[in-house]
Amino acid sequence: MENLKFRAYNPITKDMLYSFEAPSLGAFFIGVSLAPESIIMQSTDLVDNKGVEIYNGDIVVNHHDDNKRIVKRCNQNASYYLSHINNEISYYKEFVECAQSQSDGLIRLDNIEVIGNIYQHPQLTAAGIAINNEVKK
């Protein structure tokens, strides 16, 4: 990653703040700290087929198979992977998906399009996503 980029979603005000909008990365995090309910997402430093930057928590559609997936961070190796949308996500399932994403090879970015994110557009998921122990639809 050349430049670390973040965005923060405030579920109370429904605002999304991008780090590039702040005068500095430090100012961004100071601003976010004033709203402790904010959810911080990091950029993957990749763009989709339309040039839209892809962040952790984005919902993407793979036009190769028309499946929607969620961009997630793989903590085992500090990378990102595309998780199938499913209400039965468990730690083990995430670990397996993360490991498989490393062995499956690269997904062609020219087939991927960002269509939303799990916080502002939970209706794009099959049955909603559990966020903070609460199912959003």
Side-chain angles (χ1 to χ4, degrees):
M1 286 192 168
E2 283 188 27
N3 295 314
L4 291 176
K5 293 181 240 174
F6 297 89
R7 67 181 183 194
Y9 177 67
N10 184 323
I12 294 173
T13 64
K14 309 284 189 236
D15 292 328
M16 186 73 77
L17 174 68
Y18 290 84
S19 60
F20 62 80
E21 296 173 332
S24 70
L25 198 54
F28 168 78
F29 281 109
I30 289 170
V32 169
S33 70
L34 298 176
E37 61 280 342
S38 292
I39 301 157
I40 298 173
M41 295 157 271
Q42 186 173 357
S43 169
T44 64
D45 210 28
L46 300 171
V47 294
D48 72 358
N49 64 349
K50 296 190 176 182
V52 175
E53 190 149 12
I54 302 171
Y55 283 82
N56 183 31
D58 278 345
I59 300 169
V60 298
V61 64
N62 183 346
H63 291 298
H64 177 72
D65 59 13
D66 289 327
N67 284 324
K68 290 184 279 185
R69 293 179 173 85
I70 300 170
V71 178
K72 291 190 172 185
R73 181 175 166 79
C74 180
N75 291 323
Q76 287 82 7
N77 59 17
S79 65
Y80 292 90
Y81 68 102
L82 299 178
S83 174
H84 294 278
I85 292 178
N86 186 334
N87 274 353
E88 300 169 7
I89 298 291
S90 67
Y91 177 78
Y92 176 75
K93 184 174 185 328
E94 285 191 25
F95 180 81
V96 169
E97 282 186 342
C98 177
Q100 285 176 338
S101 72
Q102 301 304 307
S103 63
D104 287 347
L106 298 174
I107 293 175
R108 293 179 48 145
L109 290 174
D110 58 351
N111 290 331
I112 299 293
E113 180 181 354
V114 174
I115 57 173
N117 64 70
I118 61 174
Y119 303 104
Q120 292 177 304
H121 312 99
Q123 71 278 8
L124 294 175
T125 63
I129 297 288
I131 302 171
N132 297 332
N133 299 323
E134 183 179 327
V135 174
K136 305 280 184 177
K137 297 248 183 191

